[in-house]
Amino acid sequence: MTKLEVVATVSDDQKHQSDANSVCLHGEKVFTCADDGKVKFSRPKRLVPRPGDDIEAVLVHGARVLTCSAGGKVKVWDHHDLKLLHEFQAHDYGVNDLLVLGNTLFTCSVDATVKSWDVNTFQLKKTLSPHEESVRKLATNGTSVFAGDDKGEVRVYTEEGDLLAFYSVVEEVWGLHAQENLLYTVRDRGVTITQTKGETNKFTVTKSLDGRAPLCVVGGNLVVPEASGLSIIVYDNTSSAYTLRGQLQGHAMIITSLAGMSEDRLVSAGWDNTARVWDLHTLAPLTTTPCTLPGCPNTLAASPDGCVFAAGIGGYLCKMKLV
């Protein structure tokens, strides 16, 4: 019997630190917090840390797992046991996404900037030319970096941080994927696939598809939630075709994150606080029961050894593995 289980989680004292407004049951402890910034807890002789900043993105890079948060920090964890290895303040405001290209880590922020860092030392290399609105998503086609923002612009940079071109895609960029000269963007009302020409605003819209963020390309499949966010649409990711292959149903609430585990496996998670694994070849569930998460996930990432990392509201980070 195959199932997905949580095998490790970040301890409370390692979470991103910030005020929150929620109530959370964790083991035998109940945490509450309010607008005044205070935290109350059910065990008065024990100091309970405040819930942390929401984690916005998680990235697996070799033996390390990187997360970024609404508080502007990037944290680096050991892949094996989720031990905190390093942290640094990347931006003064929330960091929305992370990307590694070559030896460079890129971060994008609510402050409308993209920054590049040495991926080994985490020393700042460059602050790229600022966008006009919050930068939500980063992607790469293997040679360039694409940054999508709330104005509906996707800017293209070299690994060194030089601006190559930008494309106006009208709507805020909530999901972003790049492959060769194709650019996939999505908000909540449809996926747009454009063929870029390498010059500013020189592109051709090749396809519009139903779907909403998040967007994920897994092997030969383009995967997005359908309009309500409750089921998953699977398209054949073949240029000029993009035929509908089918839908995956199982989540009880809106799907918030998707990630590819391999060429034919997809993991999904959502507001029902569960993660599910799907076989994209048969379009059927791979796991017999969903994996319960510590909270709502904002992001998922899979590693080559078959592990899946989920992170999200309250700053939690957990590691799952098929058993």
Side-chain angles (χ1 to χ4, degrees):
M1 182 178 294
T2 301
K3 61 180 179 179
L4 190 67
E5 288 189 348
V6 174
V7 295
T9 188
V10 174
S11 61
D12 289 339
D13 60 348
Q14 291 183 327
K15 291 181 179 179
H16 294 275
Q17 296 300 307
S18 179
D19 296 343
N21 192 2
S22 65
V23 58
C24 176
L25 176 66
H26 180 71
E28 298 178 352
K29 297 174 288 185
V30 177
F31 305 91
T32 59
C33 55
D35 290 337
D36 60 5
K38 293 181 179 179
V39 174
K40 295 183 179 181
F41 48 94
S42 60
R43 298 172 65 179
K45 293 185 178 180
R46 179 185 176 96
L47 178 62
V48 176
R50 293 177 297 176
D53 283 327
D54 294 353
I55 294 178
E56 303 297 341
V58 60
L59 170 71
V60 179
H61 182 252
R64 301 178 298 180
V65 177
L66 284 71
T67 60
C68 61
S69 78
K73 282 188 177 182
V74 171
K75 292 192 175 188
V76 185
W77 315 83
D78 182 86
H79 175 289
H80 176 68
D81 57 8
L82 293 185
K83 178 182 178 181
L84 182 63
L85 302 175
H86 182 66
E87 64 179 285
F88 63 97
Q89 191 74 34
H91 296 259
D92 292 334
Y93 298 90
V95 182
N96 289 327
D97 206 2
L98 301 163
L99 175 75
V100 172
L101 178 61
N103 293 316
T104 305
L105 167 69
F106 291 86
T107 59
C108 66
S109 172
V110 174
D111 65 13
T113 67
V114 177
K115 293 184 179 182
S116 62
W117 311 80
D118 185 294
V119 76
N120 297 307
T121 65
F122 301 108
Q123 295 298 307
L124 179 65
K125 287 185 174 183
K126 188 174 184 178
T127 299
L128 283 58
S129 55
H131 291 236
E132 294 182 28
E133 300 288 345
S134 171
V135 187
R136 281 184 182 252
K137 291 295 180 182
L138 298 171
T140 183
N141 61 359
T143 57
S144 302
V145 175
F146 298 76
D149 64 29
D150 276 347
K151 186 183 177 182
E153 276 191 357
V154 177
R155 298 193 183 187
V156 189
Y157 301 96
T158 65
E159 184 182 343
E160 292 72 33
D162 299 322
L163 181 64
L164 294 174
F166 66 83
Y167 303 101
S168 299
V169 295
V170 183
E171 292 188 326
E172 297 100 319
V173 179
W174 292 6
L176 182 64
H177 173 73
Q179 61 183 56
E180 300 177 348
N181 65 339
L182 295 176
L183 189 62
Y184 299 61
T185 57
V186 62
R187 184 187 168 189
D188 60 349
R189 291 177 292 185
V191 180
T192 301
I193 304 173
T194 59
Q195 184 179 41
T196 61
K197 309 298 184 180
E199 299 179 32
T200 293
N201 279 337
K202 299 290 185 181
F203 62 88
T204 302
V205 175
T206 62
K207 196 73 175 180
S208 294
L209 302 168
D210 292 335
R212 58 174 293 162
L215 179 152
C216 185
V217 172
V218 187
N221 300 285
L222 168 60
V223 185
V224 288
E226 49 82 38
S228 73
L230 298 177
S231 64
I232 301 168
I233 306 174
V234 182
Y235 293 103
D236 179 2
N237 188 35
T238 301
S239 180
S240 75
Y242 305 107
T243 55
L244 176 65
R245 293 193 57 225
Q247 285 187 256
L248 309 174
Q249 296 182 334
H251 284 280
M253 300 180 74
I254 290 175
I255 297 159
T256 59
S257 46
L258 300 169
M261 293 184 66
S262 64
E263 289 292 304
D264 58 2
R265 288 184 179 181
L266 173 78
V267 58
S268 62
W271 276 104
D272 56 7
N273 295 353
T274 67
R276 299 168 184 265
V277 181
W278 310 88
D279 185 328
L280 293 179
H281 178 68
T282 62
L283 296 181
L286 185 64
T287 48
T288 53
T289 56
C291 177
T292 300
L293 299 173
C296 178
N298 289 330
T299 179
L300 294 167
S303 56
D305 62 354
C307 294
V308 179
F309 298 86
I313 292 177
Y316 84 84
L317 170 66
C318 70
K319 175 181 176 180
M320 299 171 283
K321 192 173 181 66
L322 286 170
V323 294

